[in-house]
Amino acid sequence: MAAEWLRDAVLYEVYPQSFADSDGDGVGDLRGVIDRLDHIASLGVDAIWFNPCFASPFVDAGYDVADYLRIAPRYGTNDDMVELVEKARERGIRVILDLVVGHTSTEHEWFQAELHADGPSPEGDRYVWRDEAPPRGWEQDTPGIPAWVPSPGPRKGWYLKNFYDAQPALNFGWLHSADEPWRDPVDAPGPLRNRRALRDIMDFWLSRGVAGFRVDMAFSLVKDYDTERSQAASTEIWREIRAWLDEAHPDAVLIPEGSEPRTGEPLAFDGDFSLVIFEAHASLFDNHYAGRLPWHEPREPYFDAEGRGSTATWLQAWREAREADPDRMVLLASADHDYDRLRCGPRGPEQLGAAFTFLFTWGTVPCLYYGDEIGMRYLPDMPDVEGAICNPAYNRAGCRTPMQWDDGPNAGFSTADASALYLPVDPDPDRPTVAAQDGVPGSTLTLVRELLALRRATPALQGHASTRVVADGYPFAWVRGDSHLVVVNPRREAGSAEVAEAAGAGLLWGQGVSVDGARLAVDGFGYGVLRLS
């Protein structure tokens, strides 16, 4: 695909309501991001991924869109977004927007028009409606699983939701429509209207300089009670979109939430995204201090001081991805807005060097979550703001707290009264801040900058070079591009391994690593990048 720049890139996720507040209302905004672009650029990242910025009632933190073509007033204006894109480009940074296309807000004008209609639209309904009580549905009734919601009227019947009740599913058709006439086939007028609208939305923002989209719930478009089949069917819509993009916007990137289903047809997305809520990522970092992800079995994470974890789950997922498509890009987040942070529970700053060394040199496309560059903590017991608690097993608000810039009021995030902030700031007087770590040797911020500078200067550490595991325990070691050896030991206890490639290797960067012949010894929490002889 044309967007090969992504393969060697590093992304930076900005949760806009928590990054920087320029107008003192307690909520972050685009002007705040513009004012802080020099910090983002200083990290050495190549693109910013914004969580949803569009007009919304914010029942689900902006993932309930009321107008796809207008920036939410609390963040600014469309002109502010265009300015941000231009000023980021001046610093060599692209902008990627989060696109929520499987559903809208109930406040979207499309839904309001159908809600107040006497019946189906002559042009085809944009949403999924039925007149009679549904005799069956999906096996679960939790956010993220479709379910039927009684219409609040005037229109009678039920509509289908995608996540919360206030997020009605857009109608992209059903796999099987003959047995229930209210089900539209995928080529019915309503689904075709939505396909055209999807393309128009993307064209609107791409024409204003945006580099592409991360698509939320990308494979929730086509419906069926068999979700695996419906997800596979949704890829056909994205292949159509990809064909259009290749003509109209050939440099645009398309990133899914999760992995694209393999159907035997060409893939539509530029890569797959290993997010925090998925098992492979959780096997590395989830220490359960943010709660429990109920859809997979909890296990001890590999990156843990006690050293009771394993790399097996991650390596199995990586092997499967490589075997299916050796050139497929995989994005790997340090953390994200949906669960916890890299620094969670007892995991302290001394443990982050090994984690970042893995994240930035493995061969994935890394995505650094805002605040992780200074070791911001996951904060338990945060209020349920804008749908943060979507499952009683965990609270997403703890990873969405305001960015900590300095030791001023509200950690420099906002001049508003503390009671007016989007979420409370970390109350710890020793909380990490950008100002306290800037230019300080050994700080987390300095480590991130040094490591990303090394990655940028060393093609073998980027996305095009091969990755070959040479030790899979404590320590964990891999060779990149047959020229560099990377090793991490995230446990407290020292470890060593016989690694033939280590003989004669010289340490380029890191700490606590020594080589004696083929013996690679790593102190507790040690990490290093070595050049092979």
Side-chain angles (χ1 to χ4, degrees), residues 13 32 59 80 114 122 137 144 148 247 324 337 407 440 465 489 491 511:
E13 181 185 354
V59 172
D80 290 332
E114 293 188 7
W148 294 103
E247 292 292 328
H337 61 286
D407 62 359
V440 176
N489 179 28
R491 71 179 180 183
Q511 67 177 34

Side-chain angles (χ1 to χ4, degrees), residues 134-150:
R136 61 169 296 196
W138 283 259
E139 294 180 359
Q140 303 177 53
D141 184 13
T142 58
I145 302 295
W148 294 103
V149 180

